Amino acid sequence: MTTVLVFLDHAGASLAKSERELLSLGGTLGDVVVALAGDADQAYLDGVGSYGVEEVYRPDSGAVSDVLVAGKAAFLTEAVRVSGAGILLLGNSHEMKEIAARVGVRLESGVITDVVALDGDLTATKADFAGSYTVSCRVTTGVTILTVKPNTFEAVEAGLPSAPREVQIPVEIPPAVARITGRTDKPVSGRPELAEARVIVAGGRGVDGNFGPLEDLADALGGAVGASRAATDAGWIEHSAQIGQTGKTVSPQLYISAGISGAIQQKAGMQTSKVIVAINKDADSPVFEIADFGIIGDLFTVLPQATEEIRKRGL
């Protein structure tokens, strides 16, 4: 059976939803092993093992979680070689895409990013040219390397906790590699991470600096708050909330667009959402072309009404 290597750039005390999705997808493709970039406590390792993973690969020179893409790519390349993996699965962040590209060059293998569906013969479905086209493609050379969008594959229920065997592999970190010298914790909002959220309420130029109604609706729905580049560039919300071609790509079950025109750069980051609801005063706004439901109106009137009704019904 094919060996599937899943790369987990561990950053938490327990498995994130996107990590569980990758492990679940890997389990449908073959025998799963894991490459772990950083240190992890026993509870995390037991969680990995609960998905049938029997081996975890780690660098013998210490964690590579404090180095940027070059060091992680070097480690992951060795993990593929040692494990004999025929398939490599990664997340879909900008960093993961660059790591995948570097590993592809090292292994002379094909890479497919932004995967939202996968057939049994490893034919992947993805969006190209800023979402203008949906294409099907397969890797025909070397190891199949895929970066997978979150919220596109179901995370199956974990089994009983089980500690996988840890295998240390030698890794030569490039001497000129960039390193992380400090971290600043992001303020805790109580909302889910944008890339993993099942519900996202996003605002653009139309919010005019006031994200309050969007935050209220997101909290009522248990969702996250996102934004267009225009809103982040204006300083109305942090850049980590940006969705689009130059921001994050998301695939929630429900995406509510408020005051966003829906230019192609923004569509590229959210058009794989299962249900899209658009709110805009301009009836000719491009966002209505891809919306499942559209409301022509003032977001400062529509959103508070929606929030009140949701809370009234206890949804």
Side-chain angles (χ1 to χ4, degrees):
M1 184 176 284
T2 302
T3 298
V4 182
L5 179 64
V6 176
F7 181 49
L8 303 181
D9 192 5
H10 173 62
S14 60
L15 285 169
K17 180 173 177 289
S18 59
E19 294 177 322
R20 291 186 277 112
E21 290 169 355
L22 285 177
L23 292 171
S24 298
L25 173 60
T28 68
L29 303 174
D31 293 326
V32 180
V33 294
V34 163
L36 193 60
D39 295 328
D41 56 29
Q42 192 60 49
Y44 185 91
L45 293 173
D46 288 346
V48 171
S50 70
Y51 281 88
V53 177
E54 296 184 354
E55 284 190 343
V56 169
Y57 295 92
R58 304 177 72 166
D60 68 350
S61 57
V64 295
S65 58
D66 65 337
V67 299
L68 299 185
V69 291
K72 292 177 181 178
F75 160 62
L76 193 52
T77 300
E78 290 305 310
V80 171
R81 289 173 174 157
V82 171
S83 66
I87 301 171
L88 172 61
L89 301 179
L90 306 90
N92 201 61
S93 67
H94 292 304
E95 182 184 23
M96 291 298 107
K97 290 179 184 179
E98 185 174 346
I99 292 172
R102 288 172 180 263
V103 174
V105 170
R106 287 169 174 261
L107 296 176
E108 298 183 346
S109 298
V111 179
I112 303 175
T113 61
D114 302 308
V115 174
V116 296
L118 194 63
D119 294 338
D121 64 351
L122 299 184
T123 297
T125 301
K126 60 167 294 185
D128 262 339
F129 295 104
S132 299
Y133 298 93
T134 298
V135 299
S136 297
C137 46
R138 285 185 76 234
V139 171
T140 59
T141 303
V143 177
T144 297
I145 303 175
L146 308 172
T147 73
V148 182
K149 280 190 175 184
N151 293 319
T152 53
F153 295 92
E154 288 294 324
V156 301
E157 187 174 347
L160 295 175
S162 175
R165 180 172 62 257
E166 294 188 47
V167 179
Q168 292 193 341
I169 56 177
V171 180
E172 185 175 344
I173 304 297
V177 68
R179 294 183 178 274
I180 298 171
T181 58
R183 300 176 188 268
T184 301
D185 291 336
K186 182 180 177 180
V188 178
S189 67
R191 302 186 186 104
E193 285 295 322
L194 191 62
E196 299 184 1
R198 297 178 66 86
V199 176
I200 294 175
V201 183
R205 199 184 305 276
V207 307
D208 197 23
N210 181 9
F211 271 81
L214 285 76
E215 293 171 345
D216 290 342
L217 180 57
D219 290 341
L221 293 170
V225 176
S228 69
R229 179 169 181 172
T232 59
D233 283 352
W236 299 337
I237 192 170
E238 65 272 9
H239 282 280
S240 61
Q242 183 183 332
I243 296 169
Q245 190 173 14
T246 55
K248 295 180 179 178
T249 56
V250 297
S251 298
Q253 298 296 312
L254 173 62
Y255 184 92
I256 301 175
S257 169
I260 301 177
S261 67
I264 189 170
Q265 291 85 354
Q266 222 276 326
K267 288 163 60 177
M270 46 68 76
Q271 65 179 0
T272 55
S273 305
K274 303 301 184 294
V275 177
I276 299 173
V277 177
I279 304 164
N280 201 294
K281 291 190 291 186
D282 182 3
D284 296 323
S285 180
V287 71
F288 289 122
E289 297 175 6
I290 61 169
D292 298 287
F293 302 95
I295 301 172
I296 301 172
D298 187 341
L299 69 90
F300 294 106
T301 300
V302 175
L303 294 186
Q305 290 177 344
T307 302
E308 181 182 0
E309 190 65 25
I310 290 168
R311 288 175 173 164
K312 185 187 301 181
R313 298 189 182 196
L315 298 179

